[in-house]
Amino acid sequence: MMRKRLILFVLAILLISPLSHTEAATPKAYNDRSLIYLTFDDGPHRQTGALLDVLKKHKVKATFFILGNNIKGNEKMLRRIVAEGHLIALHGMTHDRHKFYRTPTTAVREMQDVQKLVFKVTGVKSNIVRTPYGSDPYMTLAHRRAMTKAGFQMWDWNIDSLDYRYKTDNRRVQNQVFARLDANYKARIASIILTHDHSITPTALDYIIRNAKAKKRGYEFGTLHGLKNPHNFFNKWKPHR
């Protein structure tokens, strides 16, 4: 009788356990080749809302690198980015390479200024940054050290969508992204896609997400939140084995 009760007890525990096989599975490594990190630079922009609609439609979260000089008049859009679960990151104030990179101090100050503005509007204090035009060649060793000392985590990308070059040519942008996705998958590394709020079209974004999900590679989309090993041009991710 005691043995029967024990068996019934164990079965009951297994039946009510909230852990599914998926939930119990080991999480993917941050640089697993099936992971895609969508990133948007230079927003908020008047088109940001349409991009957010596409992301919401596909239940995809992304990272938005905010340009401080674009915040005024777009505060509502900034709050929507946060409310819909996306990650806010920093892209400086001016996007003027002569002003931003003039000294290590000016670079850090621009990031601190946009950090304060974002916090004032959203209550979010972000330390994730992407420097204008990427960290190479303008971020000298002194610049990088100053940025690290100020507590900022610097990110670049490993897929350039070239949307700023082919603004009206969705096919060129889509082909560029998928060519690089294929290359990264073969190289066994996660993909960080660079796009811009003002250049990537909702149509191209929709195509990229739909077709990435359709591929039999187990692609998943995520944000850069909580990743402790930032990918930048001076510290590139190694292939995941």
Side-chain angles (χ1 to χ4, degrees), residues 20-234:
S20 67
H21 291 299
T22 302
E23 292 170 325
T26 304
K28 292 182 179 180
Y30 66 91
N31 61 339
D32 188 287
R33 65 180 178 175
S34 66
L35 292 177
I36 298 174
Y37 302 97
L38 270 175
T39 69
F40 298 85
D41 285 10
D42 299 350
H45 186 266
R46 63 179 179 273
Q47 183 176 261
T48 305
L51 301 177
L52 288 171
D53 290 343
V54 174
L55 294 171
K56 187 175 183 179
K57 169 186 171 183
H58 293 290
K59 299 180 181 179
V60 164
K61 306 303 180 187
T63 301
F64 287 81
F65 286 91
I66 302 301
L67 196 61
N69 283 353
N70 286 347
I71 291 177
K72 188 174 182 179
N74 289 307
E75 292 87 351
K76 186 176 180 180
M77 192 68 68
L78 201 59
R79 287 190 284 268
R80 181 183 169 186
I81 291 172
V82 174
E84 295 187 1
H86 304 290
L87 179 65
I88 290 284
L90 314 173
H91 198 40
M93 292 293 297
T94 65
H95 214 286
D96 183 324
R97 67 175 181 270
H98 300 294
K99 292 180 179 179
F100 184 92
Y101 294 105
R102 185 163 57 85
T103 68
T105 300
T106 57
V108 168
R109 188 178 296 131
E110 281 211 22
M111 289 305 182
Q112 291 172 332
D113 287 348
V114 66
Q115 183 186 56
K116 291 173 185 175
L117 285 174
V118 166
F119 181 76
K120 183 178 179 180
V121 174
T122 68
V124 173
K125 185 175 182 180
S126 177
N127 71 331
I128 298 172
V129 305
R130 174 175 287 160
T131 61
Y133 305 103
S135 64
D136 185 31
Y138 305 110
M139 288 295 284
T140 66
L141 179 58
H143 282 79
R144 300 199 304 271
R145 284 176 173 171
M147 204 65 74
T148 299
K149 185 177 180 181
F152 292 115
Q153 188 188 72
M154 189 170 66
W155 285 84
D156 287 311
W157 58 87
N158 59 19
I159 294 181
D160 186 346
S161 69
L162 300 181
D163 58 352
Y164 53 89
R165 184 179 300 172
Y166 305 117
K167 293 183 180 181
T168 60
D169 193 339
N170 289 334
R171 183 169 295 183
R172 291 288 291 271
V173 172
Q174 293 157 191
N175 289 345
Q176 166 71 9
V177 168
F178 278 97
R180 296 308 309 156
L181 274 175
D182 289 343
N184 283 351
Y185 192 85
K186 291 174 183 175
R188 305 188 68 86
I189 195 162
S191 292
I192 306 167
I193 303 177
L194 167 67
T195 67
H196 300 79
D197 288 39
H198 55 76
S199 298
I200 188 79
T201 68
T203 299
L205 178 62
D206 183 83
Y207 180 95
I208 290 166
I209 295 173
R210 280 190 297 104
N211 284 275
K213 286 188 171 185
K215 283 182 174 288
K216 297 179 179 179
R217 292 177 171 176
Y219 276 134
E220 294 179 15
F221 290 85
T223 74
L224 303 179
H225 175 71
L227 303 188
K228 303 187 185 309
N229 185 18
H231 168 95
N232 56 63
F233 298 142
F234 299 92

